Amino acid sequence: MALYAQVTKEIRNGPSGPETAAFFDLDRTLLSGFSAIAFFQHRLLSGRMSPRELVESVAAATCFGMGKIGFSALVTGAAGAFRGFSEQALMEIGEEIFEKQLAKEIYPESRALVEAHQHMGHTVAIVSSALHHQVVPVARALGIEHVLCTHLETRDGAFTGRVVKPTCYGEGKAFYARELAQKVGCDLGRSYFYSDSHE
């Protein structure tokens, strides 16, 4: 903690208690990279991705990057690939990818910020457009209780191929942050939000 005293000074000198919240984005905020890339690589290298799915995924990501489709359309397209797949199996894959790759991508500065907020008794949450199986292992490793993220619809423990709306992107992030703040009694006016982008 002493190593990052300057980074955490404002937090330590600020108000304490659960009424203050700290919302952390995941990719390029808590993690140095993009968790989706690690999962894409795993799916590709494990042979679970057909050539058609590969082409469609790259095309969709390109269209999203160019602003031709929105995030919900991007996730809806990806959700179809998981239709019928076990939710438990995907969570296990998420844990494996975290242990093998993502654990070492957690910024030490971000870890210090999280610990500073926890020390002050703040309500700490990850709010990310990433999917549940991408976020939960990171939250557990950092001791973060609240996970606000995009969810795929499930039925009888398997994915239906549909996305739960709203997705946790853009205004969706604000929606879920406000919902948590209301639920636990946080004052957003004195809370913190960490992110690498405007969305």
Side-chain angles (χ1 to χ4, degrees):
M1 185 67 75
L3 182 62
Y4 299 105
Q6 193 59 37
V7 174
T8 60
K9 182 179 179 180
E10 180 184 332
I11 300 165
R12 291 181 286 108
N13 291 338
S16 62
E19 297 80 15
T20 298
F23 298 96
F24 287 85
D25 194 2
L26 180 69
D27 297 315
R28 295 181 60 179
T29 302
L30 289 174
L31 300 177
S32 62
F34 291 97
S35 55
I37 292 174
F39 282 86
F40 179 83
Q41 290 172 337
H42 180 275
R43 189 165 174 78
L44 180 64
L45 297 175
S46 66
R48 291 192 176 104
M49 184 176 287
S50 68
R52 178 179 175 179
E53 185 185 340
L54 173 60
V55 171
E56 289 176 351
S57 296
V58 171
T62 302
C63 287
F64 174 71
M66 296 173 66
K68 293 182 177 180
I69 62 171
F71 180 77
S72 290
L74 176 67
V75 177
T76 298
F82 292 107
R83 185 179 295 111
F85 197 77
S86 162
E87 181 180 21
Q88 180 61 34
L90 193 57
M91 287 302 297
E92 290 171 4
I93 290 170
E95 293 289 347
E96 178 186 343
I97 293 173
F98 175 75
E99 292 298 330
K100 289 183 176 178
Q101 184 173 346
L102 298 180
K104 61 179 176 276
E105 293 187 13
I106 296 175
Y107 283 119
E109 296 88 349
S110 294
R111 188 183 295 274
L113 288 167
V114 168
E115 290 174 356
H117 283 294
Q118 291 168 334
H119 180 75
M120 294 297 287
H122 296 166
T123 299
V124 182
I126 295 178
V127 55
S128 171
S129 59
L131 298 172
H132 193 248
H133 60 278
Q134 295 168 252
V135 184
V136 167
V138 180
R140 185 165 33 253
L142 293 172
I144 296 175
E145 177 183 0
H146 303 284
V147 173
L148 313 175
C149 62
T150 299
H151 288 269
L152 302 181
E153 184 184 77
T154 60
R155 184 177 297 124
D156 300 324
F159 295 108
T160 65
R162 291 189 287 272
V163 181
V164 176
K165 301 288 180 73
T167 57
C168 195
Y169 181 84
E171 180 54 37
K173 283 188 178 182
F175 171 84
Y176 287 116
R178 286 192 296 264
E179 186 177 65
L180 177 65
Q182 185 174 26
K183 179 180 176 183
V184 301
C186 294
D187 178 359
L188 291 178
R190 70 177 203 184
S191 294
Y192 300 77
F193 190 89
Y194 300 90
S195 180
D196 69 310
S197 65
H198 66 87
E199 62 85 14

